[in-house]
Amino acid sequence: MEIISQGEVRFRIWAPSSAGMRLRIEGRDDRQMTPAGDGWFELVVHGVYPGARYSFVLPGEKTAPDPASRAQVSGTESPSLVVDPLAYAWKNSGWRGRPWHEAVFYELHVGTFTAEGTFRAAAERLQELAELGITAIELMPVAAFYGERGWGYDGVLQYAPHTAYGDPDDMKHFIDTAHGLGMMVVLDVVYNHFGIYGNYLTHYAPDFFDPERGTPWGPAPDFGRQPTRDFVLENALYWLEEFFIDGLRLDAIDHFVDKPGRTPLLTELGTRVAASFPGREIHLIIEDARNVTGPMELQSDGTRRFVAKWNDDFHHVAHVIATGETAGYYLDFSADPFRLLRRSLAEGFVYQGEPRPTLDGKTVGEPSGHLPPSAFVNFLQNHDQIGNRAFGERLRSTTDPRLVDALLAVLLLSPQVPLLFMGEEFACEQPFVFFCDHPQEVREADYQGRLREARNFGHDADHAADIEGLPDPNDRKTFETSKLDWAAAETPKGRAYRAFVGDLVEARRRFVWPLTARATEMGGRILTQKDGLIAIDWVFDEGKLELRANLTGSSSEVPAVDGRIVHRWPKDATMARTGALELAPYAVCLAAGRHG
C-alpha cells in the first residue's frame, strides 16, 4: 500500500501462484487487480483515506491481509488498514543517535513490561530507566503474529506493529519518548523464518519460501528470489526510516542461506543501511550460533557494517559458574569454566575454532581477539535464557545472590557492551516463561514441545513428562504471571538494588566509555589462572582498564593494579598487599589509568 496523494492509494501484491487477485475495500470497492508482470498485481484507487479497511481476495474467495500491512484492524487474519506514515508529529526529529560504545542495553517485551502491555504504557516507564543510566532499549520483536500474546519470534506481517501493543503512532510515541530521554531504541527483527500460523503468503506466494529448506520454527524465505529479497531489505529500511529506530538486532542469521552468485543478504543490507542514513548513528547487531566474525570485520572505508554480536558464550560460562548446571549446551562450558570466562572477557568468544562436545566434536568459531570489545553484547540473562527454562526462573532464584551481584558488576564494568533483561535492575526474581496463543488444535503439541525443551535445563529427558506444574504456554495465566511486577522495584530491596546498578553504570560512563570510544581490538591480558578469580587488564590507546574479581566465598589475593581504583563492590572490597590486592568474598573492583 502506497499513498500517492491525498485520497489516492496504490495497492500492490506479489502473488505468482495466483491466477488473479481482487482488492476489497470495506464499504465501497471489490475490484479486480491488474497484472503488472513477474507475478505482481496492482490497482490505484481514488477516494481512499487513512483508516480504510482492505483485504486481498484470492480465487476461491479466500481473503488475505496485505503482507506489507502497516496496521491491522485486530489480528493477523483481520483486514489491513490504510495508514498515513507521515501523520505522526515527531517531537525529537533532530535526534541523530548515540555512539555505539555508549550502549547500555535493556531488553524488554512490550506485552509483559507493564500491566497494560502497550507501547504507551511502556513509554511511561522510560524516565526511570534513563535515570538509572540505560542508554539503549532493545525491543523484542513487535511484527504482527498470530493470536493475542507471544514472544514475537513467529511474526507473519513484518511491517505491522502487533495490534495488542498499539498502532504505529503508539510505537512512534514510545521511540520519540526514548529519544527525548537520550536513549536509543533497537528492534529485534526475524528474517530467518516466518511464523506458521496466520501466514497467508504460503497460499498465494509459496515461491516466497525455499521449498528445499526450513527452520525449526517455520518456513524459510528464499533469498535467491528478488521479491523475497526486496521484501526483507525494504522492511529493514522501513523500521529505520519511518519509525526512527536506531538499529536492528537480526535474529539467528546462521539460518540465512544465500544463493550461489548472489551478494550475501547481510552484505547488501549493511551496505544499503550505511548509504541510506548519512548523519545518523545506525547500529546493526547479529545473533549467530557459529561464532563467526565476518559481519563485524572492519571494511575498506574504515567502518563496520555490523557493530556487534550477541555473545552467548559469555552467558553460558557465567551461568555454569553461577549455578553449576551442566545439562544441554551448558556441558560445553563446564570444563574449567573460570578459564573460559577469562577467555571470553579478554578475547570475546570462548569457542574460537575448538570442538564442542554437544555438537559431536564439531569445531565452532573463529579467532575474535582482534575485534574491539564493543563487538560483543554480553549478558547474564535475556529472554531466551530465562524463558526457555522449564519454569522461567531468573538467575537470582537459582544460586547465591552474592555471586549474581559480583557477576553483574563484572558485566557492567567490562569493556564489552552490557545488556540487562527487564527487571534485572531491581533484582527481580519473578519468572518469565515462554507463552503463546496458538490455535486450539496444536496446543497439546506446544505443551509436549516445552517438555522436550526441559532437557536443556537440568531435567531428566526420559522423565520430562513427569515435571509437575510445568506452565502451559497457551494458558493465559502463563502470560499474566510473566508480567513485570513493578511494585517489587519500590520495595527497600528493589530501590537498593537499583542504586547498586546505577552506581555501576555511572562508573562505566565515567571510566569505561572514554577508554573504549576508539578501541580497535580487545586488548585483553589475563593475569591469573586461579579458580574463582578474575584479573584482566585491557590496554587501549587511551589508557588501561584493570578488572579484579573474587567469585568465591572466601578472601583471596589477586594481582595488584597500576591505575587508580575507581569502583569497588562492596565499598570495603579491597585491601592493599605488597604486589597484590586482597579481595573480600564476591568482591569486584575496577582501576583505570594510563598504560606503559
Side-chain angles (χ1 to χ4, degrees), residues 30 49 60 65 86 127 195-197 199 225 250 281 284 290 294 297-298 324 417 423 483-484 511 522-523 547 559 580:
D30 191 330
Y49 297 92
L86 302 179
Q127 175 75 45
I196 299 172
Y197 310 113
N199 184 353
R225 291 190 178 274
L250 278 69
E281 294 271 5
L284 300 179
R290 299 168 300 179
E297 298 288 0
L298 198 64
V417 171
K483 284 181 176 283
L484 205 55
F511 303 109
M522 288 290 288
L547 181 71

Side-chain angles (χ1 to χ4, degrees), residues 373-395:
S374 60
F376 303 92
V377 177
N378 285 354
F379 39 85
L380 297 176
Q381 303 181 77
N382 64 29
H383 72 275
D384 267 334
Q385 307 304 337
I386 302 171
N388 279 327
R389 297 179 67 84
F391 296 96
E393 310 100 311
R394 293 183 184 242
L395 188 59

Side-chain angles (χ1 to χ4, degrees), residues 237-412:
L237 297 175
Y238 160 79
W239 293 115
L240 296 168
E241 180 178 3
E242 289 194 14
F243 287 79
F244 233 153
I245 287 284
D246 298 280
L248 303 170
R249 181 259 194 190
L250 278 69
D251 181 71
I253 67 159
D254 45 310
H255 286 271
F256 283 21
V257 174
D258 291 295
K259 299 298 182 180
R262 297 296 304 260
T263 300
L265 182 72
L266 282 183
T267 301
E268 186 171 353
L269 174 59
T271 300
R272 288 187 63 173
V273 168
S276 299
F277 303 100
R280 280 179 59 188
E281 294 271 5
I282 301 292
H283 309 300
L284 300 179
I285 307 120
I286 60 171
E287 180 194 35
D288 190 329
R290 299 168 300 179
N291 281 9
V292 296
T293 63
M296 292 95 74
E297 298 288 0
L298 198 64
Q299 302 296 306
S300 58
D301 62 1
T303 64
R304 300 179 194 274
R305 295 289 186 260
F306 291 81
V307 294
K309 174 193 177 295
W310 266 32
N311 191 7
D312 284 331
D313 280 14
F314 175 86
H315 167 271
H316 295 345
V317 69
H319 189 90
V320 169
I321 288 170
T323 67
E325 294 177 4
T326 59
Y329 48 66
Y330 292 132
L331 176 65
D332 295 337
F333 301 85
S334 60
D336 202 358
F338 286 101
R339 178 183 65 82
L340 301 183
L341 179 63
R342 295 184 203 103
R343 187 183 203 196
S344 181
L345 287 167
E347 301 176 21
F349 297 140
V350 168
Y351 281 92
Q352 301 181 31
E354 295 81 13
R356 283 188 65 162
T358 60
L359 298 179
D360 296 324
K362 178 183 176 182
T363 59
V364 173
E366 300 170 349
S368 57
H370 64 289
L371 295 174
S374 60
F376 303 92
V377 177
N378 285 354
F379 39 85
L380 297 176
Q381 303 181 77
N382 64 29
H383 72 275
D384 267 334
Q385 307 304 337
I386 302 171
N388 279 327
R389 297 179 67 84
F391 296 96
E393 310 100 311
R394 293 183 184 242
L395 188 59
R396 292 188 71 80
S397 64
T398 63
T399 190
D400 188 334
R402 296 175 300 168
L403 179 53
V404 177
D405 295 350
L407 286 168
L408 187 62
V410 169
L411 174 77
L412 290 171

Side-chain angles (χ1 to χ4, degrees), residues 358-478:
T358 60
L359 298 179
D360 296 324
K362 178 183 176 182
T363 59
V364 173
E366 300 170 349
S368 57
H370 64 289
L371 295 174
S374 60
F376 303 92
V377 177
N378 285 354
F379 39 85
L380 297 176
Q381 303 181 77
N382 64 29
H383 72 275
D384 267 334
Q385 307 304 337
I386 302 171
N388 279 327
R389 297 179 67 84
F391 296 96
E393 310 100 311
R394 293 183 184 242
L395 188 59
R396 292 188 71 80
S397 64
T398 63
T399 190
D400 188 334
R402 296 175 300 168
L403 179 53
V404 177
D405 295 350
L407 286 168
L408 187 62
V410 169
L411 174 77
L412 290 171
L413 296 177
S414 300
Q416 294 86 1
V417 171
L419 177 143
L420 305 178
F421 185 68
M422 61 180 193
E424 194 172 354
E425 78 280 14
F426 57 82
C428 180
E429 295 185 26
Q430 174 190 3
F432 179 80
V433 189
F434 178 78
F435 50 83
C436 54
D437 186 18
H438 288 163
Q440 190 67 41
E441 61 269 21
V442 301
R443 293 189 171 189
E444 177 59 28
D446 285 341
Y447 185 73
Q448 294 300 321
R450 298 312 298 167
L451 291 173
R452 290 191 295 273
E453 183 70 24
R455 75 184 61 186
N456 281 328
F457 297 97
H459 294 289
D460 186 341
D462 294 332
H463 299 90
D466 297 329
I467 299 174
E468 184 178 354
L470 182 74
D472 181 346
N474 284 290
D475 188 336
R476 187 176 183 87
K477 291 180 182 177
T478 303

